[in-house]
Amino acid sequence: DLLEASDVRTGDQVVAQAVALSSLDGSIIDVLHDGLHLGVDFLSGPVDALSVLSHFELGDGNAAGVDSLGRSDDHVLLLHQESQSVVGGRHVSSFAEELASGKVVLRKIEGLTLENRVAVGKAVPDDVMEEIKSCDVILKGPTTTPKGGSMGSANVTLRSELDLYANVRPVCVPEEGIDWMFYRENTEGEYVLGSKGIEIPGTLAVDFKVTTEEGTKRIARAAFDYAKNNGKTNVAIVTKANIMKKTDGNFSAICREVAANYPGIEAEDWYIDIMTANLVNKAIRNRFQVFVMPNLYGDIITDEAAEIQGGVGTAGSANIGDRYAMFEAIHGSAPRMIEEGLADYANPSSIFKATEMMLRHIGFTDKADKLAEVLHICCDVEKSVVVTGMRDGGTCREFAEYMMSKL
């Protein structure tokens, strides 16, 4: 029933392939639904984020959980669990039962480590890209982009190769009336040619910004479709069109053209500098609903918005295209924490939020609601384990185990 209600093709056998958690730039976990795959690369490990998924059933009913969890230094193995659920007179499979039956298989996809990428000289090695393209839905943790040099970002490469043109980031602070949804153009702007600029050492450096009509139209449609389908009445178009007259000027004008097809939704133009101020202005910030903007501005302002919510470790991010979808933490790979020996204290909340978004995307709304509820209990209500990113706070593993105890 859930598959039928979602965009997933009905009748497909549900197959999942994944593996355990590894290091910061570690392994990608691939979970597939016979044509619907989930690739997962976790922040730092071994974090038991995957085992959170083991508590979800693949149908309606109460979560059954797992009887036992096998661990090694680098792997988490989900073991067989005998419990069953019956809803409306029919059997409902738990995730653990799918594993045991062979319908769900765990598989490792490797190669996105910084070391491997540097060794082959590519942001995403060809064999890794091929494996990722065999998937439809990816859950990915942060990857490191070296400063300087010519190697591009793995994220930018994936977004471009998979044509993930809409970066979607929700920020919600209910007690302040904040319910924001950001639509950031994801394949153009300063990022598309970011590693292909021109430099005359000691004299001049030039980078490029690219805005296309079709690229702008489709991100604008995505933002206004979201507003229409979710009862929103206002979309803020955020640019610096008074200065970047060709690129941002066209972005604003094209968004206005698209807005004309959505009666009842107000489109407002804002400059990026004043919008960053608006987000910290408590007198007006709760009036904003949906934002649409070029790539660089979206990258910056969504981190600011996440900080208002509780920090960049609390926000998830979706990268949506017509063929693929990739979900990830909003933050980067935290090299400072690694250098200072604080990897075990990384906050996994952002990857859990991304997992919630992924579950909604593939139609498992009840599972997403359950994960969201547990995140709220652990992060906002009880706060029995608080991850601060420092040794005075909880560890990544402690927080994950705390979450699982609530599931």
Side-chain angles (χ1 to χ4, degrees):
D1 291 346
L2 282 171
L3 292 175
E4 209 165 56
S6 71
D7 291 333
V8 182
R9 297 190 309 276
T10 58
D12 283 352
Q13 181 186 21
V14 176
V15 181
Q17 301 189 341
V19 77
L21 320 173
S22 187
S23 61
L24 188 70
D25 278 310
S27 54
I28 290 182
I29 299 174
D30 185 299
V31 181
L32 66 110
H33 288 188
D34 189 22
L36 179 75
H37 303 36
L38 312 176
V40 184
D41 180 8
F42 284 90
L43 171 64
S44 65
V47 183
D48 293 339
L50 178 63
S51 56
V52 171
L53 294 179
S54 73
H55 290 253
F56 295 123
E57 294 171 355
L58 296 180
D60 294 326
N62 296 321
V66 291
D67 282 335
S68 54
L69 198 61
R71 292 186 178 88
S72 69
D73 287 342
D74 295 312
H75 296 80
V76 176
L77 306 176
L78 299 178
L79 305 181
H80 178 48
Q81 186 251 43
E82 297 293 341
S83 66
Q84 303 179 18
S85 297
V86 176
V87 177
R90 63 186 177 85
H91 172 71
V92 178
S93 299
S94 70
F95 187 71
E97 286 179 295
E98 299 291 345
L99 283 169
S101 69
K103 293 181 180 179
V104 176
V105 180
L106 305 187
R107 187 185 71 180
K108 180 184 294 186
I109 301 177
E110 297 181 320
L112 265 188
T113 62
L114 178 61
E115 293 79 8
N116 188 52
R117 290 155 52 214
V118 169
V120 300
K122 302 200 72 171
V124 178
D126 292 340
D127 57 335
V128 178
M129 182 65 76
E130 183 179 350
E131 290 187 88
I132 290 173
K133 283 186 173 181
S134 71
C135 307
D136 293 310
V137 180
I138 303 155
L139 181 60
K140 179 195 164 295
T143 49
T144 299
T145 303
K147 294 180 181 179
S150 60
M151 177 175 289
S153 160
N155 264 10
V156 171
T157 301
L158 286 169
R159 291 166 184 167
S160 176
E161 285 290 322
L162 304 180
D163 198 23
L164 305 173
Y165 58 85
N167 183 247
V168 185
R169 297 181 174 184
V171 169
C172 186
V173 186
E175 60 270 23
E176 295 190 26
I178 292 174
D179 185 11
W180 298 330
M181 187 65 75
F182 293 87
Y183 277 79
R184 163 193 171 192
E185 202 293 315
N186 215 20
T187 59
E188 298 184 350
E190 294 84 353
Y191 292 62
V192 63
L193 296 172
S195 60
K196 298 178 174 63
I198 298 171
E199 181 180 10
I200 303 174
T203 304
L204 176 70
V206 178
D207 280 322
F208 303 98
K209 180 171 182 174
V210 177
T211 298
T212 70
E213 182 171 353
E214 179 53 35
T216 303
K217 280 184 176 179
R218 63 185 185 178
I219 190 62
R221 286 193 295 263
F224 280 93
D225 280 343
Y226 172 83
K228 177 183 177 181
N229 295 334
N230 290 274
K232 306 299 183 182
T233 58
N234 180 275
V235 175
I237 303 165
V238 184
T239 66
K240 194 62 176 171
N242 58 330
I243 302 299
M244 309 295 293
K245 296 181 183 294
K246 296 291 189 280
T247 51
D248 285 13
N250 282 338
F251 188 95
S252 175
I254 292 167
C255 284
R256 284 284 183 177
E257 292 175 11
V258 171
N261 298 315
Y262 296 83
I265 299 177
E266 179 185 18
E268 292 185 306
D269 276 294
W270 291 92
Y271 295 141
I272 180 62
D273 44 358
I274 193 63
M275 183 55 79
T276 59
N278 288 341
L279 294 194
V280 295
N281 184 344
K282 293 185 177 181
I284 66 170
R285 66 187 184 185
N286 61 1
R287 66 176 288 268
F288 297 106
Q289 299 175 346
V290 181
F291 305 77
V292 61
M293 62 199 71
N295 206 338
L296 178 62
Y297 309 144
D299 192 1
I300 295 169
I301 203 170
T302 52
D303 278 7
E304 179 196 13
E307 195 66 30
I308 293 168
Q309 178 179 257
V312 293
T314 67
S317 176
N319 303 272
I320 308 296
D322 295 330
R323 169 68 179 83
Y324 299 97
M326 182 172 75
F327 299 84
E328 59 182 337
I330 195 174
H331 53 71
S333 57
R336 175 193 60 80
M337 295 185 68
I338 303 304
E339 291 170 2
E340 296 178 6
L342 296 172
D344 289 342
Y345 297 88
N347 192 336
S349 297
S350 186
I351 198 70
F352 285 139
K353 182 63 179 177
T355 303
E356 177 204 332
M357 297 172 72
M358 178 198 69
L359 288 167
R360 294 192 192 284
H361 181 76
I362 62 176
F364 293 109
T365 305
D366 56 336
K367 313 303 180 284
D369 288 344
K370 187 179 299 180
L371 183 53
E373 178 186 6
V374 169
L375 274 169
H376 175 62
I377 291 171
C378 294
C379 296
D380 304 320
V381 180
E382 293 184 354
K383 301 182 181 180
S384 297
V385 177
V386 177
V387 181
T388 65
M390 304 299 291
R391 289 184 174 85
D392 62 353
T395 66
C396 198
R397 177 183 291 279
E398 288 169 347
F399 183 83
E401 290 176 348
Y402 174 40
M403 288 249 326
M404 285 185 287
S405 73
K406 297 300 178 183
L407 286 168

